[in-house]
Amino acid sequence: MTPAPGRLTIDLGALAANWRDLARRVAPARCAAVIKANAYGLGIEVAAPALYATGCRVFFVAHRCEGARARAATGEDACIYVLNGLEPNAEPDADYAALGLAPVIGAAEELARWSALAAKFAAPPPFALHLDTGMNRLGFASLADLLAAIERHGARGADLLMSHFVASEEPSNPLNAAQIARLAQARAALPHLAAALANSSGLFLPEAPFLDLVRPGVALYGGNPTPGLANPMRTVVTLEIPIQQTRWIEAGESCGYNSQWTAPRRTRLATLLAGYADGLPRSAGAVEGRAGAEVFISGRRCPLVGRVSMDLCIADVTDLAEDVVRPGALGEFFGPNIPLDDFARRSGTIGYHLLTGLGLRYQRVVLPDPAI
């Protein structure tokens, strides 16, 4: 099937370089890779082999189905943790062991199920224990609850103790130190387990909470783990959309659904061939009283205006020479000239949301890692 005209370029060399940079930063701790949400929109079958080839051997996914894809895309020596744990009402749990997947166990009921399965193996399959240190989302609610569950059900095969930062992108947030201390207490109680806490932003905290294993996600894909500072990561994803049509409107005329933006001057508009069905935020365009995102066309940033519609969006290209803005010319929505997080912020969302919501209609161009 022929794809829609939008072009999504994925630079596997930049992806691999980002992992190598982070691995060097945290050594001697090990550096994993989070490839959940279809590898943040890039595709597990695209990203996982590139990360494996550059040396990554520990991966995190969210669901068992993602784990199966990750296993098929990596080698037998890859360790794959399933962050959301054992799925409720999903049998058999033995599928995890058969696929070589390590669930992240965060409740006594899950530990009982997994221990019952592990008892059938001479060498129990590996798994991780999740202690909630402040997120109040998943994980054992306290160290006391975790230790009580281990005493009751055992923990044969456990090889990792982990938790998750609440606000590591805010270096001055006191929750960071509190969570580090809570996990340190648990680590002292379970010294035989490796420990992991740091996500992408956690790798740049002054406390350097690398422990035994780190698990970057969005930073691998080019998102900025240090908001407010220069992005230390390479650009991995570039989204370019062609112009379909241009037109002039007079001052006082509007564009887009519900007339949410009115031209303050005689304005030239360019309509581009992507919309919210392709993962663009509906709020990316400027409306009355609020600026929107910008796209890079012919060497200049141009504001998106009006509501983004299902398959189209509109840019104000008045300040560009008329002869350089024509049907077929490409607008960069994010990439080397428009940072991912900049486009996301101006659209009222975050880079995670943009990447994981990338539409299926784009032509995907994968640039190989030149080091492989």
Side-chain angles (χ1 to χ4, degrees):
M1 184 177 71
T2 302
R7 183 169 68 200
L8 186 71
T9 302
I10 301 168
D11 186 344
L12 294 183
L15 173 68
N18 283 341
W19 183 85
R20 288 193 296 268
D21 287 347
L22 296 177
R24 283 191 292 267
R25 180 181 183 85
V26 305
R30 300 182 73 189
C31 187
V34 179
I35 56 172
K36 64 180 181 175
N38 200 27
Y40 285 60
L42 276 65
I44 288 175
E45 290 76 13
V46 172
L51 290 163
Y52 182 85
T54 203
C56 184
R57 291 295 181 269
V58 183
F59 298 87
F60 286 85
V61 297
H63 301 291
R64 177 172 54 176
C65 61
E66 294 178 333
R69 292 170 60 193
R71 174 57 67 204
T74 60
E76 293 183 359
D77 59 337
C79 180
I80 302 170
Y81 291 99
V82 181
L83 285 164
N84 288 358
L86 300 178
E87 298 170 17
N89 307 317
E91 297 293 346
D93 292 340
D95 284 354
Y96 289 85
L99 291 167
L101 306 179
V104 178
I105 302 295
E109 181 273 335
E110 284 183 77
L111 185 57
R113 284 170 56 188
W114 189 252
S115 294
L117 172 68
K120 302 175 182 178
F121 292 82
F127 70 100
L129 290 165
H130 183 183
L131 175 66
D132 179 23
T133 57
M135 183 73 79
N136 288 320
R137 190 177 59 176
L138 288 178
F140 287 92
S142 69
L143 176 57
D145 288 345
L146 171 58
L147 295 177
I150 292 174
E151 183 176 0
R152 181 174 181 181
H153 303 294
R156 293 178 67 239
D159 63 1
L160 181 67
L161 171 68
M162 58 161 282
S163 193
H164 196 80
F165 274 122
V166 173
S168 58
E169 73 280 9
E170 303 170 9
S172 62
N173 194 315
L175 270 174
N176 295 324
Q179 290 189 270
I180 292 169
R182 289 168 190 157
L183 190 61
Q185 182 183 17
R187 194 181 187 195
L190 299 165
H192 61 290
L193 297 180
L197 177 60
N199 54 3
S200 290
S201 293
L203 302 186
F204 293 86
L205 287 173
E207 298 92 338
F210 305 151
L211 306 179
D212 301 296
L213 178 73
V214 300
R215 51 178 198 280
V218 74
L220 294 174
Y221 308 102
N224 189 356
T226 58
L229 301 175
N231 189 353
M233 314 312 298
R234 292 167 171 80
T235 297
V236 174
V237 184
T238 300
L239 176 62
E240 298 170 296
I241 307 297
I243 294 170
Q244 177 71 4
Q245 187 181 99
T246 65
R247 68 180 60 203
W248 286 95
I249 64 173
E250 300 302 321
E253 289 190 78
S254 63
C255 68
Y257 280 115
N258 305 113
S259 304
Q260 293 292 296
W261 182 85
T262 302
R265 58 176 177 170
R266 188 168 186 264
T267 300
R268 191 180 186 211
L269 300 176
T271 299
L272 298 103
L273 290 169
Y276 59 75
D278 303 292
L280 299 181
R282 186 167 180 261
S283 58
V287 297
E288 302 300 337
R290 180 183 61 78
E294 297 173 327
V295 295
F296 192 79
I297 301 174
S298 298
R300 188 183 183 102
R301 283 178 173 247
C302 301
L304 292 176
V305 294
R307 290 288 188 198
V308 171
S309 54
M310 183 178 291
D311 312 292
L312 302 166
C313 59
I314 303 170
D316 177 351
V317 295
T318 310
D319 294 328
L320 288 170
E322 192 161 353
D323 62 340
V324 302
V325 183
R326 59 192 182 278
L330 292 173
E332 178 192 306
F333 282 61
F334 46 86
N337 299 292
I338 302 285
L340 170 72
D341 297 286
D342 178 83
F343 185 87
R345 178 181 58 81
R346 292 173 184 266
S347 300
T349 186
I350 56 176
Y352 298 79
H353 189 194
L354 281 179
L355 287 177
T356 59
L358 290 171
L360 299 177
R361 297 193 290 191
Y362 299 124
Q363 174 192 359
R364 288 177 174 243
V365 179
V366 180
L367 303 180
D369 181 0
I372 298 176

